[in-house]
Amino acid sequence: MSAHCQLTGAKPGFGNQISHSHRRTSRRFDPNIQHKRYRLPSEGRTVRLTLSARAIKTVDAIGIEAAVARIRARGGKV
């Protein structure tokens, strides 16, 4: 599974790791991705979402119904 958030679309960023001697090697900055299950009352089922930690806070603020609507508007499958 790729490290991307279904709600916010957060993906890994890329950059350089710089050593003490200032040699540069490629590295990857992954978002804090978590798998979380939510109960979706309108459909009478649970959904398992792959969300970043920031997106989990967003779901807590706007509600799961609005979050699923945003994911579907982005073209995501729930």
Side-chain angles (χ1 to χ4, degrees):
M1 184 67 190
S2 63
H4 81 279
C5 176
Q6 288 180 291
L7 182 60
T8 62
K11 295 184 291 192
F14 295 90
N16 289 317
Q17 185 167 338
I18 303 177
S19 70
H20 181 68
S21 64
H22 220 64
R23 289 179 63 116
R24 292 163 191 247
T25 54
S26 189
R27 66 159 293 179
R28 179 173 150 146
F29 296 90
D30 285 328
N32 185 4
I33 297 294
Q34 309 291 326
H35 296 288
K36 190 124 166 85
R37 290 173 63 136
Y38 288 100
R39 177 87 178 131
L40 202 57
S42 64
E43 297 180 15
R45 66 186 182 106
T46 59
V47 292
R48 185 169 185 237
L49 301 177
T50 305
L51 302 172
S52 64
R54 184 179 62 156
I56 291 172
K57 295 174 188 175
T58 302
V59 170
D60 291 343
I62 67 173
I64 186 62
E65 298 288 343
V68 167
R70 282 190 194 181
I71 292 170
R72 288 182 174 149
R74 292 183 72 234
K77 183 179 172 187
V78 177

